[in-house]
C-alpha cells in the first residue's frame, strides 16, 4: 500500500516535500513508509533526500496548564482585590499551584507578599503560558524566546523528526516489478523465467560473522608461557587442589608459624573442613624438629611448633605448596632422578582489591631439582627463560624469602616505560626445607616465580587488572584482542 501510494503520487506530481505529512495523508505509519522509501531508493526508482526538523510536544504538566491555566494566573485570580493572608491563600490552593504560582506571579510583578499577606499589584493578567501551549498543540509557529522559556519550565519537549523529500529516480516506474532472487524449478516449468527480472548479486557484500569462541588474554599468554616451559624440557605439576593445609603451604617451606603471611588478614582460612586429617607423620616430625631446634646446619626458629596450626585448611597462597608436595614425592623415589617442574595456576590472597591487586590471581612457577646446582645455574636459566618472553635485559637484586637462600628479585628493563620493572622472584630452596624431605645432601633446587597478570597487562596495554580478570571484563576486549606471540630476541 505504501509503495503504491508513493509511486502513484509521483506519477502526477514532481515531488513529495515531507514524508511525515505524506504518511499522515495516506494513513500509513511513518516507520513503515521509511522502510519502503529506503527500498525504492536502493532500486533507484526514487531519489530520497533526508532532512531533520525540530518539533515540540507539550509535556504532561504542560497539557494540564493548557487545560486548567498556568499556576501563576490561578494564584493571581485566587487573590481578592482587598488582599488575603498568606495562610488562608495557602489553604485555598493546591500545594503545587501555590508553590509554583507564587514564585512566577511575584517574578512577573503581579502580586506583592509582605507581612504575611498577599495583595495584587495589577488589575488583570493575561495567561500567556496557556495560550502558547495551545498554539503548540495546534502545530502553530511560536516565537523562539517563548519556546526557550517553556522548555526551561519543562512544559514542552523537543523532538527531532527525520523525514524525506522524494522525487522520481532514474529507473522510476509507476508499478515496480519485484525482482526474483532465485531461478526455481517452477520458473523453468512455466517458462516465465524469460520475463523475470533477477535481483543483482552484490559480490562485495560481507557474509554473516562466524560465531566462534574467543580465548581470554590470560589464557593466550598462559599457553605461550607453557610452550616456553615445554621447549625448555619442563613437565607440568598437578595444581588442581585450590585447598591446601597450612603444613604444605607454610610449614614444609620452613616458614615459621608466627609469620605475618599466616595471619587471617593475608590468608583465606576454611571454616569447613577447617583442618586436614592426612599428613605424612615421619615427615611432619622432621619438619617440627627443624622449626623448633634446627638441624642440617641450621639453628631453627626456637619456638614451640603446634600441630593444630599446621593442620588448618586454607586457599593456597602460592603454587609453591604444590612444588613442596612434588619435591617430597620425588625424595621418596630411589634412585633419585633430576626433574624440571613448572605450574601456572590460581592462588588466593586476602588483599584489598584495586587497579593492580585482586584477591585471586595466577602464579607462574618453575623449578629444577638436580645435583650440584648453584646460583650461577639459576641466573643462566632465568636469562634463557625471560629471553624467550622477550625480556633480554635483566638485573638481579638480593632479597629475603623464608624458604630460599640466597634469594633474588628479578628486574627487566621496560622499553616503553624507560625504566627497570620488577618481573619476578627467585632463589635456591634452603637445606632446612629440602633435607627433611629425604633428598640427597648434594641435591639443590633452584626456583622462580612471577604472576601471569603482569606480563599480560603489559602485552595488551591494560592498566587495570579488573579489566583483565573478574566480573568487569569487557567481552569486546576478548573478541578483538590480538594474537599473543612471545619469542626469542
Amino acid at each position: 500500500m505504501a509503495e503504491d501510494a508513493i509511486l502513484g503520487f509521483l506519477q502526477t506530481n514532481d515531488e513529495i516535500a515531507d514524508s511525515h505529512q505524506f504518511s499522515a495523508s495516506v494513513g500509513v505509519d511513518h516507520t513503515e513508509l521509511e522502510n519502503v522509501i529506503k527500498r525504492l531508493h536502493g532500486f533507484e526508482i526514487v531519489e530520497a533526500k533526508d532532512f531533520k526538523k525540530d518539533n515540540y510536544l507539550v509535556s504532561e504538566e504542560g497539557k494540564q496548564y493548557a487545560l486548567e491555566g498556568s499556576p501563576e494566573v490561578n494564584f493571581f485570580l485566587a487573590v481578592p482585590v482587598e488582599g488575603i493572608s498568606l495562610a488562608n491563600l495557602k489553604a485555598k490552593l493546591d500545594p503545587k499551584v501555590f508553590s509554583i504560582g507564587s514564585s512566577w506571579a511575584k517574578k512577573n510583578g503581579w502580586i506583592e507578599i509582605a507581612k504575611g499577606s498577599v495583595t495584587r499589584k495589577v488589575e488583570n493578567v493575561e495567561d500567556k503560558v496557556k495560550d502558547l501551549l495551545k498554539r503548540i498543540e495546534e502545530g502553530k509557529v511560536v516565537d523562539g524566546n517563548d519556546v526557550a522559556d517553556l522548555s526551561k519550565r519543562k512544559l514542552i519537549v523537543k523532538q527531532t523528526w527525520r523525514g524525506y523529500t522524494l522525487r522520481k529516480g532514474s529507473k522510476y516506474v509507476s508499478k515496480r516489478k519485484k525482482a526474483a532472487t532465485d531461478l526455481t524449478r517452477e520458473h523453468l516449468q512455466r517458462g516465465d523465467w524469460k520475463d523475470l527480472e533477477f535481483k543483482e548479486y552484490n559480490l562485495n557484500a560481507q557474509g554473516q560473522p562466524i560465531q566462534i569462541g574467543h580465548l581470554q588474554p590470560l589464557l593466550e599468554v598462559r599457553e605461550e608461557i607453557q610452550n616456553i616451559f615445554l621447549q625448555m624440557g619442563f613437565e607440568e605439576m598437578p595444581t588442581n587442589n585450590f585447598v591446601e593445609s597450612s603444613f604444605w603451604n607454610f610449614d614444609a617451606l620452613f616458614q615459621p608459624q608466627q609469620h605475618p603471611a599466616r595471619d587471617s588478614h593475608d590468608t583465606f582460612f576454611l571454616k569447613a573442613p577447617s583442618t586436614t586429617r592426612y599428613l605424612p607423620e615421619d615427615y611432619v616430625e622432621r619438619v617440627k624438629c627443624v622449626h623448633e631446634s634446627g638441624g642440617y646446619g641450621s639453628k631453627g626458629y626456637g619456638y614451640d611448633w603446634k600441630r593444630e596450626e599446621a593442620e588448618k585448611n586454607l586457599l593456597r597462597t602460592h603454587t609453591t605448596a604444590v612444588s613442596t608436595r612434588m619435591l617430597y614425592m620425588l625424595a621418596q623415589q630411589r634412585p633419585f632422578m633430576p626433574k624440571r617442574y613448572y605450574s601456572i595456576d590460581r592462588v588466593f590472597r586476602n588483599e584489598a582489591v584495586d587497579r593492580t591487586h585482586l584477591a585471586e590471581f595466577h602464579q607462574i612457577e618453575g623449578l629444577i631439582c638436580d645435583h650440584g646446582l648453584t646460583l650461577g645455574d639459576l641466573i643462566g636459566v632465568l636469562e634463557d627463560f625471560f629471553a624467550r618472553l622477550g625480556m633480554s635485559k635483566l638485573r638481579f637484586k638480593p632479597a629475603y624469602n623464608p624458604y630460599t637462600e640466597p634469594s633474588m628479585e628479578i628486574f627487566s628493563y621496560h622499553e616503553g616505560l624507560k625504566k627497570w620493572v620488577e618481573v619476578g622472584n627467585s632463589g635456591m630452596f634452603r637445606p632446612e626445607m629440602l633435607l627433611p624431605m629425604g633428598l640427597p645432601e648434594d641435591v639443590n633446587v633452584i626456583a622462580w616465580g612471577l604472576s601471569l597478570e603482569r606480563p599480560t597487562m603489559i602485552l595488551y596495554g591494560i592498566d587495570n587488572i579488573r579489566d583483565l580478570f573478574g566480573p568487569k571484563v569487557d567481552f569486546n576486549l576478548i573478541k578483538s584482542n590480538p594474537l599473543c606471540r612471545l619469542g626469542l630476541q
Side-chain angles (χ1 to χ4, degrees):
M1 176 183 174
E3 184 175 309
D4 293 339
I6 292 172
L7 297 177
F9 187 89
L10 289 176
Q11 189 175 11
T12 55
N13 297 272
D14 291 334
E15 70 171 12
I16 297 174
D18 188 329
S19 59
H20 282 281
Q21 294 179 3
F22 184 78
S23 65
S25 66
V26 297
V28 176
D29 181 72
H30 189 267
T31 303
E32 180 186 347
L33 188 75
E34 187 175 17
N35 292 332
V36 174
I37 290 171
K38 290 179 179 178
R39 185 165 61 245
L40 293 176
H41 180 71
F43 290 125
E44 299 181 30
I45 296 174
V46 300
E47 289 182 5
K49 292 183 179 180
D50 63 330
F51 63 85
K52 291 182 180 179
K53 182 172 68 175
D54 291 337
N55 191 28
Y56 289 90
L57 300 178
V58 179
S59 66
E60 291 300 320
E61 185 179 3
K63 289 177 182 178
Q64 184 180 355
Y65 292 2
L67 183 66
E68 301 173 0
S70 64
E72 53 265 39
V73 170
N74 287 330
F75 185 92
F76 177 83
L77 295 176
V79 177
V81 177
E82 65 276 10
I84 188 172
S85 71
L86 197 61
N88 289 339
L89 185 58
K90 189 173 183 179
K92 185 177 179 181
L93 292 172
D94 179 89
K96 192 173 181 180
V97 173
F98 180 86
S99 174
I100 300 173
S102 61
S103 174
W104 281 98
K106 188 176 180 180
K107 186 177 181 179
N108 293 337
W110 296 348
I111 59 162
E112 182 178 1
I113 301 176
K115 297 180 180 180
S117 62
V118 186
T119 54
R120 295 186 179 186
K121 294 177 70 176
V122 295
E123 292 184 6
N124 298 298
V125 295
E126 178 186 355
D127 199 342
K128 184 180 178 182
V129 171
K130 180 179 179 179
D131 295 340
L132 287 171
L133 291 171
K134 283 188 173 181
R135 285 177 63 84
I136 291 173
E137 283 184 327
E138 294 167 359
K140 296 179 180 178
V141 178
V142 176
D143 182 73
N145 292 330
D146 293 329
V147 168
D149 291 338
L150 294 175
S151 296
K152 287 180 182 178
R153 295 182 65 173
K154 297 182 180 180
L155 301 179
I156 58 175
V157 180
K158 182 179 178 180
Q159 189 176 56
T160 301
W161 293 86
R162 182 179 178 180
Y164 296 88
T165 299
L166 306 178
R167 286 181 171 274
K168 294 177 182 178
S170 59
K171 298 181 181 179
Y172 170 80
V173 289
S174 60
K175 184 73 175 177
R176 181 172 70 93
K177 185 186 290 186
K178 292 186 178 180
T181 56
D182 295 298
L183 179 64
T184 65
R185 178 170 174 267
E186 289 73 20
H187 291 151
L188 295 173
Q189 288 178 335
R190 291 195 302 264
D192 57 4
W193 60 272
K194 300 175 184 178
D195 302 320
L196 288 176
E197 288 186 13
F198 288 95
K199 187 176 181 180
E200 292 183 4
Y201 284 100
N202 183 1
L203 300 178
N204 296 320
Q206 294 185 351
Q208 287 289 333
I210 300 173
Q211 298 297 321
I212 58 174
H214 300 272
L215 282 176
Q216 216 268 3
L218 277 173
L219 294 179
E220 292 199 54
V221 178
R222 175 195 173 114
E223 183 179 0
E224 288 294 314
I225 293 175
Q226 188 173 35
N227 289 336
I228 290 173
F229 274 118
L230 294 175
Q231 290 165 12
M232 295 176 67
F234 285 71
E235 60 181 273
E236 188 172 10
M237 295 184 282
T239 56
N240 54 320
N241 289 335
F242 289 171
V243 175
E244 273 290 0
S245 66
S246 293
F247 178 79
W248 292 110
N249 198 83
F250 295 124
D251 295 272
L253 289 167
F254 195 56
Q255 192 160 331
Q257 292 185 339
Q258 66 270 26
H259 194 278
R262 301 180 69 154
D263 191 80
S264 60
H265 293 296
D266 296 301
T267 303
F268 292 109
F269 289 94
L270 267 65
K271 288 185 177 180
S274 59
T275 59
T276 185
R277 297 179 182 178
Y278 308 105
L279 292 174
E281 294 300 329
D282 56 340
Y283 179 44
V284 170
E285 189 61 33
R286 292 195 295 272
V287 169
K288 175 184 177 182
C289 290
V290 80
H291 274 252
E292 289 183 339
S293 55
Y296 315 105
S298 171
K299 294 181 179 179
Y301 292 113
Y303 71 98
D304 185 18
W305 187 86
K306 296 179 181 179
R307 171 81 179 234
E308 57 270 20
E309 189 70 29
E311 290 178 343
K312 289 181 180 179
N313 283 334
L314 48 80
L315 293 178
R316 67 182 180 212
T317 61
H318 48 191
T319 52
T320 315
V322 181
S323 303
T324 310
R325 284 180 176 271
M326 295 300 294
L327 289 172
Y328 174 73
M329 292 171 60
L330 181 62
Q332 311 316 303
Q333 298 176 12
R334 293 291 184 271
F336 168 78
M337 295 291 292
K339 287 288 184 180
R340 294 185 174 208
Y341 290 127
Y342 82 92
S343 65
I344 309 173
D345 213 333
R346 197 173 302 185
V347 296
F348 307 86
R349 305 272 176 89
N350 192 1
E351 294 184 346
V353 175
D354 57 28
R355 295 178 68 87
T356 57
H357 295 86
L358 289 177
E360 54 180 304
F361 58 95
H362 297 78
Q363 182 176 332
I364 303 165
E365 184 164 340
L367 66 89
I368 301 176
C369 182
D370 203 348
H371 296 278
L373 293 174
T374 66
L375 189 64
D377 295 310
L378 174 60
I379 292 173
V381 171
L382 290 176
E383 288 177 343
D384 184 15
F385 176 79
F386 281 98
R388 293 169 187 260
L389 286 177
M391 305 177 191
S392 56
K393 297 179 181 179
L394 294 183
R395 280 181 179 176
F396 304 98
K397 176 183 175 183
Y400 169 76
N401 287 315
Y403 46 89
T404 58
E405 179 62 35
S407 306
M408 300 186 303
E409 291 176 347
I410 310 163
F411 291 82
S412 173
Y413 187 76
H414 194 291
E415 297 292 346
L417 299 176
K418 301 298 181 185
K419 67 177 183 178
W420 292 91
V421 178
E422 184 182 352
V423 293
N425 216 320
S426 64
M428 300 183 65
F429 284 150
R430 298 175 66 109
E432 298 96 322
M433 171 186 165
L434 300 178
L435 295 179
M437 295 178 177
L439 287 168
E441 290 188 9
D442 65 334
V443 168
N444 294 325
V445 178
I446 57 175
W448 70 97
L450 63 152
S451 76
L452 177 62
E453 282 76 6
R454 178 169 289 185
T456 305
M457 290 172 70
I458 293 172
L459 284 167
Y460 286 90
I462 298 171
D463 61 359
N464 191 329
I465 194 171
R466 289 168 290 193
D467 294 333
L468 178 66
F469 183 66
K472 295 184 178 181
V473 174
D474 183 2
F475 282 107
N476 289 323
L477 168 70
I478 297 175
K479 291 179 180 179
S480 61
N481 69 70
L483 292 174
C484 172
R485 287 292 178 264
L486 305 174
L488 286 167
Q489 286 193 355

